[in-house]
Amino acid sequence: EIECFSAIRALHTEGYEDMVIVDIGATTTKLYIAKKGLLMRMHRIRVGGATATSRIASVLNIQFEAAEIKKREVQKTDADYSDIKRAHDTSFDRAFRELNQVLQQYEEKTNLKLKNVYLTGGATLFPGIELLLRDILNREVAHTNAFAKVSYPAFMHDTIKDIAPSFTVALGAALRTFE
């Protein structure tokens, strides 16, 4: 199954007719526009978490693996946070502007206003990425929790919150009804 259908299945809930999903993975960023759970528009850009890691490695003059660890573990209080954030954000700036253009074109064509954007994918765990996307798209952006449709022990809540963006597609595929 194509991952966009799994992501929509995992995140769609009754009562939300229109939804915009931005899925930022390791190598690509994908935009899905769904209406009542059905895919209406998809757009893919070849920019992902690995792009940001490469830029961070270049800026800090470190190996890719070390940059990936820094990207995953950086805190806003770290001395090199501003350099890492700048490198990270510039990696996605052009891609997010392209997504904004796609959204605006869709809205003009359909005469709809899409207000909320749901953020998923492993590369969305970088601190502040939702603020960057919100500023560029000029819409509310929220992280998603694909595990909201399944039960899990309460003691796992923090772990689930941390891993949920990476498991949206897998969870959506698991939720597919068997025929």
Side-chain angles (χ1 to χ4, degrees):
E1 178 173 86
I2 298 174
E3 60 190 20
C4 63
F5 299 118
S6 293
I8 292 168
R9 184 180 304 111
L11 301 176
H12 178 262
T13 56
E14 295 301 319
Y16 292 98
E17 287 201 14
D18 302 313
M19 67 185 311
V20 178
I21 300 170
V22 174
D23 182 354
I24 306 174
T27 58
T28 58
T29 297
K30 292 146 313 248
L31 170 80
Y32 311 131
I33 301 173
K35 185 174 189 74
K36 295 183 181 178
L38 300 173
L39 180 67
M40 303 305 290
R41 178 82 164 89
M42 178 173 63
H43 189 76
R44 191 178 314 232
I45 302 169
R46 289 185 170 253
V47 172
T51 308
T53 302
S54 292
R55 185 159 290 166
I56 291 166
S58 176
V59 166
L60 298 180
N61 198 25
I62 58 177
Q63 295 293 319
F64 183 89
E65 293 79 12
E68 181 67 22
I69 292 168
K70 279 197 170 282
K71 181 181 81 174
R72 290 178 184 266
E73 296 177 356
V74 69
Q75 300 293 318
K76 292 182 178 182
T77 57
D78 293 348
D80 53 0
Y81 174 74
S82 62
D83 292 334
I84 293 171
K85 180 165 177 37
R86 191 175 313 108
H88 179 274
D89 290 356
T90 57
S91 300
F92 288 103
D93 187 68
R94 185 172 179 190
F96 289 172
R97 291 186 190 289
E98 185 174 328
L99 295 182
N100 189 45
Q101 185 176 12
V102 171
L103 280 171
Q104 288 176 347
Q105 288 171 348
Y106 180 83
E107 288 175 331
E108 288 172 11
K109 181 179 178 183
T110 62
N111 203 26
L112 291 172
K113 178 65 177 162
L114 302 168
K115 298 175 186 172
N116 298 312
V117 176
Y118 300 97
L119 194 55
T120 192
T124 65
L125 296 174
F126 187 83
I129 193 165
E130 71 280 357
L131 300 175
L132 174 67
L133 188 58
R134 184 191 71 203
D135 290 345
I136 292 174
L137 298 182
N138 197 27
R139 302 159 202 276
E140 289 302 315
V141 176
H143 278 96
T144 59
N145 179 6
F147 287 94
K149 292 185 175 182
V150 297
S151 297
Y152 54 86
F155 72 87
M156 292 187 66
H157 180 73
D158 291 339
T159 302
I160 294 293
K161 184 179 175 184
D162 291 342
I163 67 170
S166 299
F167 284 89
T168 301
V169 172
L171 189 60
L175 291 172
R176 183 175 185 208
T177 56
F178 293 99
E179 298 173 359

